[in-house]
Amino acid sequence: MSRIGAFTARLYRGEVGYDFVGKRKIWYAISVLIAITAIVGLGVRGINESIDFKGGAVFTTPKTSVSVEDAVNDAQAASGKTAVVQKLGNGALRIQIAEITTKQSDPIKTQLAKDLKVDQNAITADLVGPSWGSTIANKAWTGLVIFLVLVVIYLAIAFEWRMAAAAFIALLHDIVITVGVYALVGFQVSPGTVIGLLTILGYSLYDTVVVFDSLKEQSKGITKQTRYTYSEIANQSINSTLVRSINTTVVALLPVAGLLFIGGGFLGAGDLNDIALSLFVGLAAGAYSSIFIATPLVATLKEREPQMKALRKRVLAKRAKAEAEGTGSAESAENTAPGAAPAKGPAPAVAGPRNRPRGGRSSGTGSSGRRR
């Protein structure tokens, strides 16, 4: 087995681990900083809504040698509105002009054909009314709210309200970061973006529930023992599922990165950018929140309970007593280390004076070695 494989196996068994829960204040501070940056970007730059929400027209031209910059200038001069132009993989141009009516689209199409030097009949125009975009936006927000409410109810029933609250905060964390990135980079928010956002929320929730399920199993009867605090049990749950979380995140990010950087970047498929960016940012944020936010937050809430406070006092008192007596120091150090594995069982029995062989003979001597 390779070194990496051996390490991951030890990590899964709980023989080694990283103190995620113990350093939760650092993760909280990082998340707050990222969230503030996203909110500031959202407030300063705002969301660049596509014509699906604002209404307008999309003109698709045949293959042309006109550059994107020149096409933007021509489209804005012809319409008097802000235009968004994308170069497609076949050399065609996709020109989006928001907030124009059907009557305005025909002269704009004629002027674009002249400026771009293409056949007017070869230019296709797709019109979207503002009422349709408003309906889509309202349904998207309604679906998001229903999703969050159902998630909280399910987690409160399947686990407990503290885990439901922690998962809800983690999902809001993912939404704020994803929307903030869209505002900062200036990507358009389209129905594809909403689809990608709902998809990554489901993925993030799945990853969080896996850790919560492990924590629920390992914390059964926790108040009946004095070896671990709740925070240490929570940390063991994160470490035992860490390899799985990393593997699934990497495997999910690879094809999404292909859509975003190859499909959207090199091939110029604008529709792919809408959904790929939300998936890429959301998957990364969801993996981060499930490890660094959700479970540490559950530990923070649980440690405020009187039973968990009493358990922590008993655990620390037992360790302090063991250190003071000078016995069981190795066991105390093992128990103190977050993510450490529980003891495998009682120590092997040591033979006392009465059980030792007489005359200094080895206990392994057979009948052939006896003296007569």
Side-chain angles (χ1 to χ4, degrees):
M1 183 182 296
S2 63
R3 293 183 178 180
I4 297 178
F7 175 77
T8 55
R10 295 180 61 195
L11 189 66
Y12 177 79
R13 293 193 299 265
E15 298 175 2
V16 295
Y18 183 78
D19 191 7
F20 293 99
V21 177
K23 295 180 174 60
R24 54 182 174 261
K25 292 184 179 180
I26 299 177
W27 318 134
Y28 295 165
I30 294 175
S31 295
V32 169
L33 181 62
I34 296 175
I36 291 175
T37 303
I39 293 173
V40 170
L42 185 62
V44 173
R45 302 194 60 176
I47 296 178
N48 182 18
E49 294 181 339
S50 67
I51 63 171
D52 298 300
F53 297 109
K54 295 187 296 184
V58 179
F59 300 95
T60 304
T61 71
K63 183 178 180 180
T64 177
S65 59
V66 178
S67 65
V68 173
E69 292 77 9
D70 293 337
V72 170
N73 295 330
D74 294 337
Q76 292 179 351
S79 63
K81 304 285 186 179
T82 301
V84 177
V85 179
Q86 293 176 329
K87 192 81 170 182
L88 303 182
N90 57 358
L93 294 177
R94 185 173 183 262
I95 304 173
Q96 298 185 37
I97 304 176
E99 300 175 346
I100 63 174
T101 62
T102 304
K103 294 181 179 180
Q104 294 174 325
S105 65
D106 292 335
I108 292 175
K109 178 179 178 181
T110 302
Q111 187 62 38
L112 286 175
K114 294 179 180 179
D115 295 337
L116 301 178
K117 298 179 181 180
V118 296
D119 185 9
Q120 180 178 349
N121 296 326
I123 299 178
T124 59
D126 298 322
L127 300 176
V128 179
S131 59
W132 184 84
S134 177
T135 302
I136 292 295
N138 292 333
K139 289 184 177 180
W141 284 113
T142 302
L144 180 61
V145 171
I146 293 176
F147 172 80
L148 293 176
V149 171
L150 292 178
V151 163
V152 172
I153 294 175
Y154 166 75
L155 291 179
I157 296 174
F159 298 97
E160 58 172 303
W161 71 265
R162 295 169 186 83
M163 291 185 176
F168 179 76
I169 294 175
L171 290 177
L172 291 181
H173 167 274
D174 300 340
I175 294 174
V176 170
I177 292 179
T178 305
V179 175
V181 169
Y182 265 84
L184 291 173
V185 301
F187 271 41
Q188 285 192 341
V189 176
S190 66
T193 304
V194 178
I195 295 173
L197 184 62
L198 293 176
T199 302
I200 60 100
L201 289 181
Y203 175 87
S204 175
L205 179 65
Y206 172 76
D207 220 22
T208 301
V209 167
V210 170
V211 183
F212 282 178
D213 186 65
S214 175
L215 176 57
K216 180 181 178 181
E217 292 296 325
Q218 295 191 41
S219 61
K220 287 183 178 179
I222 187 175
T223 56
K224 299 178 182 180
Q225 53 85 43
T226 56
R227 296 193 62 187
Y228 301 105
T229 64
Y230 188 89
S231 293
E232 293 169 353
I233 295 294
N235 196 68
Q236 292 180 16
S237 300
I238 297 176
N239 281 279
S240 63
T241 58
L242 182 61
V243 176
R244 174 208 161 277
S245 298
I246 294 175
N247 289 339
T248 53
T249 301
V250 172
V251 170
L253 283 177
L254 287 177
V256 174
L259 288 175
L260 178 61
F261 299 109
I262 299 177
F266 296 112
L267 301 181
D271 294 337
L272 289 179
N273 282 337
D274 298 337
I275 188 172
L277 181 62
S278 62
L279 287 174
F280 188 83
V281 176
L283 287 173
Y288 173 84
S289 64
S290 64
I291 297 173
F292 296 94
I293 302 298
T295 306
L297 190 56
V298 172
T300 300
L301 296 175
K302 288 289 290 185
E303 289 287 359
R304 295 181 179 180
E305 292 184 359
Q307 292 181 345
M308 298 305 159
K309 290 182 179 180
L311 173 62
R312 173 174 286 274
K313 290 181 179 179
R314 294 197 303 269
V315 172
L316 297 180
K318 179 180 178 181
R319 293 173 182 175
K321 181 179 179 180
E323 292 178 359
E325 294 177 353
T327 59
S329 59
E331 179 182 357
S332 177
E334 179 185 356
N335 294 343
T336 305
K344 300 299 182 181
V350 179
R354 295 183 179 180
N355 297 330
R356 293 175 182 170
R358 297 181 180 179
R361 290 177 298 173
S362 172
S363 59
T365 305
S367 58
S368 60
R370 296 178 181 176
R371 297 181 181 180
R372 302 198 180 265

